[in-house]
């Protein structure tokens, strides 16, 4: 039997998972890496630590499995998107810490682009709104901050990549500087219609083309890992940004099929078929994946804070020892006692797109306790998701055929029940919520020829539980009304600051 090794480079940890041909987990290993917060709203990581921890968990997962290394068919890579790394092409060493997708340091640069009247141009070309979330302004920032770096970049001495690209570069010993279309389209530099880096945008931001990786389909041969790293050379044949990988791993292959991944943030993607659908409601048009010459597109709404809200309750407020305790705490009270939480720690994403928004708690009274706050926080994750999903349906004109869920917080049954209640629609959780890693493994299986096509993969997807709505319609209506009022209050505070 052959096996597929998925390298899942997350925002706070790296995982390696070995899958058998049926998509079942054989072994896995996980390791966290450091996060740096130099200033409020700034988030950085060490690229070398990202690589070393990924290599470590890959070796550990292979060792735990007991299989022979020759039986590993291929490697698939999935990664936190938009996170920006620049490195020396000769040494592979970064020239600056990685600037993480969550980092808001380039908000002023993004606002300057909007003020220059570039919103429509960039959205038409890239499918994205102008925001500090994406890689483009992060690249320009690093080129400005490191003395002499832009000149070195123009001489071809410097490479840019998202995390997938850096891992490929290091794993192949510097032989491959590449990415796939699903990651390239999240940089705000890639034209999703011509499927090439856009020279006009590069010129606007003064980013040398020489630093950019080669862009390939998601199922493609990206090179071999060096033999000394994993025991033998293993082909890398699948690469997907984490949210597109989850869509693929959830077998959402038909237009109208959607998934929501509840991770550090929450990310809703809907398959829209082979034509990009522009958004008029602040959603993003992305490339979901490309296999051969066929490109599949998706609409996406990004929620910056989801699982990290529960981590904040645990780590900063000390309300629980484990995030998993949040479910029992939420169920211990009948309601939120009037509390509403708007977790805009790093701004609000779709459909609001206000990068200066900050978190707020409204409706506080003397009778509120920590359980009410936990319940309100879980409801906030579901309500933010509701906003995105309803906007997506309006924008696409597609009937949402299904909502599949995954990610760590999808294990929280209270959250999933709340999501179904607020959407007034079924929510389906698969047997394994490792959709992101599984998507990378499946794509590598396509790229290596192990799987013949999508139908073969679709047959491997298995349902665990369907959460059906049970909330009184009037209560649901009031809850959504109160939520939108809380968001308006949050945004009003932002206007007050200005």
């Amino acid at each position: 039997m052959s096996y597929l090794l998925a390298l899942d480079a997350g925002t706070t940890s790296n995982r390696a998972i070995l899958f058998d041909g049926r998509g079942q987990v054989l072994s896995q290993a996980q390791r966290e890496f450091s996060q740096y917060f130099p200033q409020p709203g700034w988030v950085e990581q060490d690229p070398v630590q990202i690589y070393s921890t990924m290599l470590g968990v890959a070796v550990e997962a292979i060792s735990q499995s007991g299989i022979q290394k020759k039986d590993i068919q291929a490697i698939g890579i999935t990664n936190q998107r938009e996170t920006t790394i620049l490195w020396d092409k000769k040494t592979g060493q970064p020239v600056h810490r990685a600037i993480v997708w969550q980092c808001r340091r380039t908000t002023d640069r993004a606002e300057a682009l909007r003020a220059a009247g570039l919103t429509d141009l960039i959205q038409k070309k890239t499918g994205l709104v102008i925001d500090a979330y994406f890689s483009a302004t992060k690249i320009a920032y690093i080129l400005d901050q490191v003395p002499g770096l832009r000149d070195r970049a123009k001489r071809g001495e410097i490479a840019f990549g998202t995390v997938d690209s850096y891992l490929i570069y290091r794993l192949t010993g510097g032989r491959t500087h590449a990415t796939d279309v699903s990651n390239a389209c999240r940089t705000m530099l890639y034209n999703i219609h011509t499927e090439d880096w856009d020279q006009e945008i590069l010129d606007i931001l003064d980013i040398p083309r020489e630093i950019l990786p080669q862009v390939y389909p998601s199922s493609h041969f990206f090179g071999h890992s060096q033999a000394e790293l994993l025991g033998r050379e293993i082909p890398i044949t699948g690469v997907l940004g984490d949210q597109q990988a989850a869509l693929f791993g959830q077998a959402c292959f038909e237009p109208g099929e959607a998934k929501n991944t509840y991770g550090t943030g929450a990310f809703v993607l809907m398959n829209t078929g082979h034509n990009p659908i522009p958004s008029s409601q602040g959603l993003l048009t992305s490339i979901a994946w490309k296999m051969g010459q066929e490109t599949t597109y998706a609409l996406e709404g990004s929620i910056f804070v989801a699982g990290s809200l529960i981590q904040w309750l645990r780590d900063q407020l000390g309300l629980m020892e484990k995030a998993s305790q949040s479910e029992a705490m939420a169920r211990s009270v009948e309601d939120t006692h009037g509390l509403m939480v708007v977790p805009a720690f790093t701004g609000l994403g779709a459909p609001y797109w206000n990068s200066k928004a900050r978190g707020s708690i409204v409706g506080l009274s003397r009778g509120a306790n920590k359980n009410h706050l936990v319940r309100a926080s879980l409801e906030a994750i579901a309500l933010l998701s509701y906003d995105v999903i309803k906007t997506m349906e309006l924008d696409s004109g597609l009937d949402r055929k299904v909502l599949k869920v995954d990610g760590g917080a999808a294990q929280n049954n209270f959250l999933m029940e709340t999501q179904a209640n607020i959407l007034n629609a079924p929510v389906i959780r698969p047997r394994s919520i490792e959709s992101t890693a599984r998507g990378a493994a499946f794509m590598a299986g396509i790229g290596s020829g192990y799987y013949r096509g999508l139908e073969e993969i679709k047959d491997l997807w298995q349902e665990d539980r369907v959460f059906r709505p049970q909330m009184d319609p009037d209560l649901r209506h009031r809850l959504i009304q109160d939520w939108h009022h809380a968001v308006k209050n949050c945004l009003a505070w932002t206007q007050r600051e200005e």
Side-chain angles (χ1 to χ4, degrees):
M1 180 178 286
S2 293
Y3 300 89
L4 298 164
L5 176 62
L7 304 182
D8 184 354
T11 301
T12 58
S13 67
N14 283 330
R15 296 184 305 160
I17 304 180
L18 265 172
F19 292 93
D20 65 20
R22 297 287 301 169
Q24 301 300 309
V25 175
L26 181 67
S27 65
Q28 60 182 307
Q30 182 169 355
R31 194 172 301 169
E32 293 187 353
F33 49 83
S34 301
Q35 312 288 313
Y36 302 94
F37 308 96
Q39 295 183 31
W42 291 29
V43 190
E44 297 179 347
Q45 294 165 355
D46 178 359
V48 174
Q49 191 183 30
I50 292 174
Y51 167 69
S52 63
T53 54
M54 181 59 82
L55 182 60
V57 293
V59 171
E60 185 178 344
I62 294 170
S63 177
Q64 286 179 1
S65 70
I67 67 170
Q68 296 185 43
K69 296 179 179 67
K70 66 180 180 61
D71 292 329
I72 302 176
Q73 173 92 5
I75 294 172
I77 295 176
T78 182
N79 55 286
Q80 53 162 317
R81 304 169 305 168
E82 296 95 20
T83 293
T84 299
I85 304 173
L86 272 68
W87 66 90
D88 185 298
K89 283 186 178 178
K90 286 186 178 179
T91 66
Q93 294 300 303
V95 298
H96 191 280
R97 279 182 181 165
I99 300 182
V100 181
W101 60 272
Q102 298 163 309
C103 187
R104 307 306 301 171
R105 75 181 65 190
T106 60
T107 294
D108 289 345
R109 290 169 181 254
E111 289 181 349
L113 294 174
R114 288 193 291 269
L118 296 169
T119 298
D120 288 345
L121 179 144
I122 287 177
Q123 184 171 22
K124 286 177 182 176
K125 287 171 175 281
T126 69
L128 308 177
V129 300
I130 296 175
D131 195 83
Y133 174 35
F134 305 109
S135 308
T137 56
K138 295 174 168 61
I139 299 170
Y141 172 88
I142 295 174
L143 289 171
D144 288 342
Q145 285 295 304
V146 180
L149 190 61
R150 186 171 272 102
D151 289 337
R152 292 186 63 200
K154 291 177 181 177
R155 293 197 298 267
E157 299 173 9
I158 301 299
F160 152 74
T162 41
V163 171
D164 62 301
S165 188
Y166 186 67
L167 291 176
I168 292 168
Y169 195 87
R170 294 296 301 268
L171 289 170
T172 62
R175 294 192 297 269
T176 302
H177 179 210
T179 188
D180 91 301
V181 290
S182 72
N183 280 292
C185 77
R186 305 293 297 187
T187 61
M188 212 172 79
L189 298 172
Y190 192 74
N191 190 312
I192 62 173
H193 306 284
T194 64
E195 295 192 28
D196 193 10
W197 300 112
D198 193 280
Q199 191 61 50
E200 185 176 7
I201 300 175
L202 291 173
D203 291 342
I204 289 169
L205 288 163
D206 194 16
I207 294 175
R209 196 180 185 95
E210 290 82 359
I211 70 172
L212 301 174
Q214 180 68 43
V215 183
Y216 293 120
S218 309
S219 58
H220 184 82
F221 173 66
F222 288 83
H224 286 97
S225 65
Q226 295 182 90
E228 62 268 25
L229 299 178
L230 300 175
R232 78 169 185 90
E233 289 191 345
I234 304 173
I236 302 168
T237 59
V239 175
L240 279 169
D242 54 7
Q243 302 313 317
Q244 290 97 326
L247 190 71
F248 196 79
Q250 287 274 33
C252 293
F253 301 144
E254 299 297 325
E257 293 184 336
K259 69 87 197 175
N260 192 7
T261 297
Y262 302 82
T264 303
F267 300 87
V268 185
L269 267 72
M270 177 188 284
N271 185 324
T272 61
H274 301 311
N275 296 306
I277 296 178
S279 172
S280 61
Q281 304 291 325
L283 298 179
L284 310 176
T285 305
S286 294
I287 296 176
W289 51 75
K290 184 176 183 179
M291 296 185 293
Q293 297 302 309
E294 192 169 81
T295 303
T296 298
Y297 293 87
L299 274 176
E300 175 173 347
S302 304
I303 300 158
F304 297 152
V305 175
S308 56
L309 174 57
I310 309 305
Q311 293 173 342
W312 176 73
L313 296 175
R314 180 194 65 193
D315 300 338
Q316 268 66 46
L317 299 190
L319 300 189
M320 63 193 83
E321 292 184 0
K322 298 178 181 178
S324 58
Q325 293 173 303
S326 61
E327 180 175 343
M329 294 175 72
R331 292 191 189 280
S332 71
V333 290
E334 292 184 1
D335 53 34
T336 67
H337 203 72
L339 285 185
M340 277 276 172
V341 176
V342 183
F345 295 154
T346 55
L348 284 173
Y352 303 105
W353 290 109
N354 189 312
S355 59
K356 291 188 175 181
R358 290 297 178 265
S360 64
I361 301 172
V362 298
L364 276 170
S365 63
R366 185 64 180 84
N369 62 39
K370 63 180 182 180
N371 297 320
H372 295 123
L373 181 56
V374 170
R375 185 177 179 119
S377 296
L378 290 170
E379 287 186 358
I381 297 170
L383 286 158
L384 281 166
S385 299
Y386 165 87
D387 282 341
V388 169
I389 292 165
K390 286 301 176 183
T391 303
M392 191 170 285
E393 292 171 357
L394 180 65
D395 239 347
S396 68
L398 293 169
D399 292 329
R400 179 170 46 85
K401 295 178 179 178
V402 68
L403 179 67
K404 296 178 179 178
V405 296
D406 53 55
Q411 297 177 85
N412 189 308
N413 290 330
F414 176 82
L415 175 57
M416 295 300 98
E417 291 165 9
T418 302
Q419 190 69 83
N421 284 334
I422 292 171
L423 281 174
N424 196 31
V427 168
I428 305 173
R429 185 172 64 195
R431 284 192 182 178
S432 172
I433 59 171
E434 300 291 354
S435 299
T436 303
R438 182 173 278 102
F442 284 161
M443 188 60 77
I446 292 281
S448 65
Y450 185 79
Y451 299 118
R452 292 183 296 274
L454 296 182
E455 286 303 317
E456 191 174 351
I457 292 173
K458 197 166 188 175
D459 290 341
L460 300 178
W461 186 88
Q462 295 178 310
E463 177 186 298
D464 169 48
R465 181 173 171 183
V466 180
F467 297 88
R468 302 189 186 279
Q470 297 179 334
M471 182 178 283
D472 176 79
D474 290 338
L475 177 59
R476 174 177 173 271
H477 179 70
R478 287 199 304 273
L479 178 60
I480 293 170
Q481 274 193 324
D482 287 347
W483 163 251
H484 288 149
H485 188 56
V487 172
K488 286 179 181 177
N489 284 338
C490 177
L491 296 176
W493 176 259
T494 302
Q495 293 166 1
R496 177 181 178 275
E497 284 184 324
E498 293 173 350

